[in-house]
């Protein structure tokens, strides 16, 4: 099921302004967050339009969790953060997704909850974005 008002379903310009598609996983689509203040920050978005984790079947929930784990492990292997935060806030949206945010000692928001839009933003060149994506994909 798709929702025509949802950026995850429509893959529209609003979505592309904040994230870059990496690949499909078992239950989710994987995106790199364009603001790379936390190097390797990604989003996994459930492939179908659902609002809440409890809207999933047990099997779908397990697949969603496996995807989150797989991405967290790939980020850990690729970039060796001190900690990874997993955030599923979604107050203003209606599409189930999770931010997977690596945290680095001395880095932005270390020791506290990550900011949705860290300031200052870190914008990578196309080549740098490709290198981050390639490092994540190599460890999936």
């Amino acid at each position: 099921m798709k929702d025509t008002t949802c950026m995850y379903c429509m893959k529209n310009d609003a979505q592309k302004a904040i994230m870059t598609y990496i690949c499909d996983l078992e239950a989710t689509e994987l995106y790199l967050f364009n603001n790379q203040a936390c190097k390797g920050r990604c989003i996994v978005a459930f492939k179908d339009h659902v609002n809440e984790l409890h809207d999933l079947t047990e099997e779908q929930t397990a697949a969603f969790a496996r995807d989150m784990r797989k991405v967290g492990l790939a980020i850990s292997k690729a970039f060796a953060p001190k900690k990874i935060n997993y955030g599923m806030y979604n107050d203003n949206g209606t599409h189930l997704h999770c931010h997977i945010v690596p945290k680095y000692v001395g880095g932005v928001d270390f020791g506290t909850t990550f900011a949705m839009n860290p300031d200052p933003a870190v914008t990578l060149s196309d080549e740098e974005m490709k290198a981050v994506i390639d490092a994540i994909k190599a460890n999936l």
Side-chain angles (χ1 to χ4, degrees):
M1 179 173 84
K2 301 291 180 195
D3 179 334
T4 58
T5 65
C6 172
M7 72 176 182
Y8 288 102
C9 291
M10 297 293 94
K11 299 171 179 37
N12 60 22
D13 290 340
Q15 182 197 40
K16 291 174 184 162
I18 58 175
M19 64 189 79
T20 300
Y21 174 79
I22 297 176
C23 65
D24 278 14
L25 299 171
E26 180 182 1
T28 63
E29 295 171 336
L30 176 60
Y31 296 90
L32 186 69
F33 198 67
N34 288 344
N35 181 345
Q36 282 290 288
C38 298
K39 186 177 183 178
R41 180 177 175 175
C42 288
I43 297 169
V44 293
F46 195 70
K47 288 180 181 177
D48 291 324
H49 188 83
V50 296
N51 188 32
E52 299 286 352
L53 189 61
H54 62 257
D55 292 334
L56 303 179
T57 66
E58 288 186 26
E59 295 79 17
Q60 290 171 322
T61 303
F64 188 81
R66 282 191 298 272
D67 286 356
M68 290 190 310
R69 180 189 179 279
K70 186 174 190 174
V71 172
L73 183 59
I75 292 169
S76 289
K77 288 179 179 178
F79 307 115
K82 176 72 174 177
K83 181 72 176 142
I84 294 185
N85 289 180
Y86 298 83
M88 297 173 62
Y89 307 119
N90 202 25
D91 291 347
N92 296 315
T94 59
H95 195 111
L96 179 64
H97 65 282
C98 179
H99 292 258
I100 302 175
V101 185
K103 304 290 275 303
Y104 303 90
V105 174
V108 65
D109 297 327
F110 188 80
T112 188
T113 305
F114 68 89
M116 189 55 61
N117 295 299
D119 188 32
V122 174
T123 304
L124 303 180
S125 69
D126 290 345
E127 296 79 24
E128 292 168 324
M129 286 285 281
K130 182 181 181 323
V132 171
I133 289 170
D134 288 348
I136 292 168
K137 286 175 84 171
N139 288 286
L140 286 173

